Amino acid sequence: MCGIFGCILQTGEAASTIHGGLKKLEYRGYDSVGIATIYDGQLFIKKDSGKIDDVHALHNLDALPGRLGIGHTRWATHGAPYKENAHPHTDCNNQIAVVHNGIIENFAELKTELEELGHTFRSKTDTEVIAHLIEEKMKADLPFVDAVRETVKRLEGSYAIAVISAKEPDKIVCARKESPLVLGVAEDSLYVASDIPAFLPMTNKSVVVQDGELVILSDAGYEIRNILDWKRVTREPELIEWAPEMAEKQGYPYFMLKEIHEQPLSLRNTLRLQDKYLELMTTFLDRAGEVFLVACGTSYHACLAASYLFSKLSFLATHPVIASEFVEQHGKSVNIDSTLLVVSQSGETADTLDAVESARLRAATVLGLTNIVGSTLTRIARVYICQQSGPEIGVAATKTFTSQLSVLSQLALRLAKKRGKVSHVEIEDLEEKLEQIPDIVERAIQSQEEKVKQLAKKYRGKQAFFFLGRGISSAVALEGRLKLMEISYIPSIAYPAGESKHGPISLIEPGFPVVFVCPKDGTHRTIISNIMEMKARGASIIVVVEKDDEEIKKLADDYIEIDTGLPEVLSPIPFVTPLQLFAYYMALERGCDPDMPRNLAKSVTVK
Ligand code: AGP
């Protein structure tokens, strides 16, 4: 996730306005920053790695001439956060500059094609192909706008782009597919940005660009066209009435809620990861003598779910280990045949890195799954995958958790394929189902949010909760419990439901709330028995179930229903979503700030 910004001013210099706009978008990524302007038919660019303030202190981003320009603040996906990978990217002749937010899936093929035509690439990004494609089209005498249109037709994946050309220095051309793009319209200026806060200090009139549209900004105003049929689209600006701090969260009151709602998008992004890294990691897992899944907190819950996935799909036994215990528990037995699959959203968690360091000293192979390119984990892992969830600001991990689950499911499926243990038909079916998950999550949020809100009202006064599940759902129960505990400070317990009778059931008295996570899977019969034993002692039963599961719904005091039709191994992603919402609304009910829970930090860099 990156931030893009562009503007055409009737008077004044664009660079300082772009700089200000990018500052407002810094929450979308801050690995590197860059601005390009046009003056007197010439392109001017300043860019470097680092946060905006640091780059500005070094290069004075405001000192670029011209009243038209584009800018970018980067969240690295393809290519490390170095200067050469910073946007804007240009063509061979420095005539065209592009800023981009999204992922171009077919960039490798396009790059090869362009290299064969003699283009020279300066970066490792997917974005640079866009500049060269436009150059190629303009070489064939297409005007700038047509060249951009023909270029975006060739792009697969997601994008919001803004492009300028020294050959036609009076316009900015933008286009959108899946990544957000909005226009800001003022009397004497036009803006384009990833998000409204970027131009809100200048204008509160905004136009949302839709998927499949191209926009031409010029002194004459804005012109929206449908990319495919080139029909003109008329869309008047709307008035934005958000306060600036609301705008930063796209109208959501808290980042956590925004991030829960972003999950359909972040999950779609995980389905676009580059094949070669997934394949490489699968090969390492296949060859490993033993596999440890190492992480803390929410990331550990993803590992726990992954251990069921690897076992059930790929017939690979793994050891999920809480990172802070790794050295004590396995430090001496790790050796050259051991592989650690290390999961860390931040890539900076001290306990996790400590485990990695000790394993590396004993020649183990380290594979990393993280959200932050350039983090310590990406530097020390033999192979890493960036899950591409975009920045997560809320301390409670939500979208990064479901993205971790998605990547780990993909790895387990690939390994199953490689090992030939599961039939092709079954694999294809699972792959298809995995593709459906973003839509399932979207529908689950839409249909259940209000209900969950009411449940939070009903149960707000409870002193403690149980979260129970069986099989892979016990990982979901643990995560639901962690969310509730960390942001609403309600002591809670979670464990595999079969354990109740070995101790914890003694806590149950009438009205004690017990949340069961119950996908319709092989554990269905036994979880019903577990519900019955709690019910018999007067517990209030809250269940998360499949929509058509009348049998369990009848047993419950309250239910949250999800229409997934997914097999058990893929159920954790949609089943955890209502529990994230439950924790969020419970925090609000109890007057707690869900974004900044007490005593916690987003990245725990102490041991
Ligand atoms: C969960 O909501 C927390 N933010 C926490 O448990 C977190 O998952 C843990 O600290 C690990 O962080 P990491 O993924 O960045 O390594």
Side-chain angles (χ1 to χ4, degrees), residues 294-301 343-350 352 369-370 372 377 387 392 394-398 400-401 404 479 482-483 486-487 597 600-604:
V294 183
C296 300
T298 292
S299 299
Y300 170 71
H301 299 151
V343 181
S344 172
Q345 180 280 129
S346 61
E348 297 294 352
T349 301
T352 309
L369 170 58
T370 182
I372 313 284
L377 182 58
Q387 60 187 72
E392 189 175 65
V395 165
T398 51
T400 53
F401 176 61
Q404 286 167 347
E479 178 57 11
L482 175 59
K483 290 288 89 91
E486 74 176 321
I487 61 168
L600 291 174
K602 185 66 187 161
S603 181
V604 186

Side-chain angles (χ1 to χ4, degrees), residues 431-447:
E431 283 170 346
E432 225 170 82
K433 297 255 160 62
L434 197 61
E435 295 278 335
Q436 294 166 6
I437 289 181
D439 293 340
I440 293 171
V441 168
E442 195 156 13
R443 287 197 299 271
I445 294 173
Q446 270 166 13
S447 66

Side-chain angles (χ1 to χ4, degrees), residues 286-323:
D286 190 29
R287 290 184 190 153
E290 57 179 351
V291 176
F292 296 96
L293 307 171
V294 183
C296 300
T298 292
S299 299
Y300 170 71
H301 299 151
C303 288
L304 207 53
S307 71
Y308 287 88
L309 280 157
F310 283 123
S311 160
K312 293 198 151 215
L313 290 175
S314 346
F315 295 78
L316 172 74
T318 55
H319 312 281
V321 190
I322 291 182

